[in-house]
Amino acid sequence: MQLLELGLPTLAAHNTAMIAVAAGLPPIVASALFGIHVSTAIEWAALTQDRWADYLAALTDSIG
C-alpha cells in the first residue's frame, strides 16, 4: 500500500529530510549530492541556522 493511499503526505516529508541532511553538509556538497542549485543549498543552510530569537525579532518588527 502506498503512503498517499493512507493519507500520508510524502512531499513535505521528503523536503524535510533533505533539509535535515543538508544542515550537516557544506552547501556546495549538498548542491552536488541532491542536484540542486548552489543558491538553494545556501538558503537551506541559512534556514537550518535560524534561531528562535531571530524569528521573534522578525515577528516583532513585522507587527510594529
Side-chain angles (χ1 to χ4, degrees), residues 8-26:
L8 298 171
T10 56
L11 183 59
H14 176 264
N15 291 344
T16 301
M18 287 179 63
I19 289 174
V21 171
L25 300 172

Side-chain angles (χ1 to χ4, degrees), residues 9-43:
T10 56
L11 183 59
H14 176 264
N15 291 344
T16 301
M18 287 179 63
I19 289 174
V21 171
L25 300 172
I28 193 70
V29 174
S31 172
L33 180 64
F34 297 129
I36 59 175
H37 196 274
V38 174
S39 63
T40 301
I42 291 170
E43 288 178 27

Side-chain angles (χ1 to χ4, degrees), residues 19 22-23 27 39-51 54:
I19 289 174
S39 63
T40 301
I42 291 170
E43 288 178 27
W44 287 4
L47 287 172
T48 62
Q49 299 301 315
D50 284 346
R51 300 183 319 238
D54 296 336

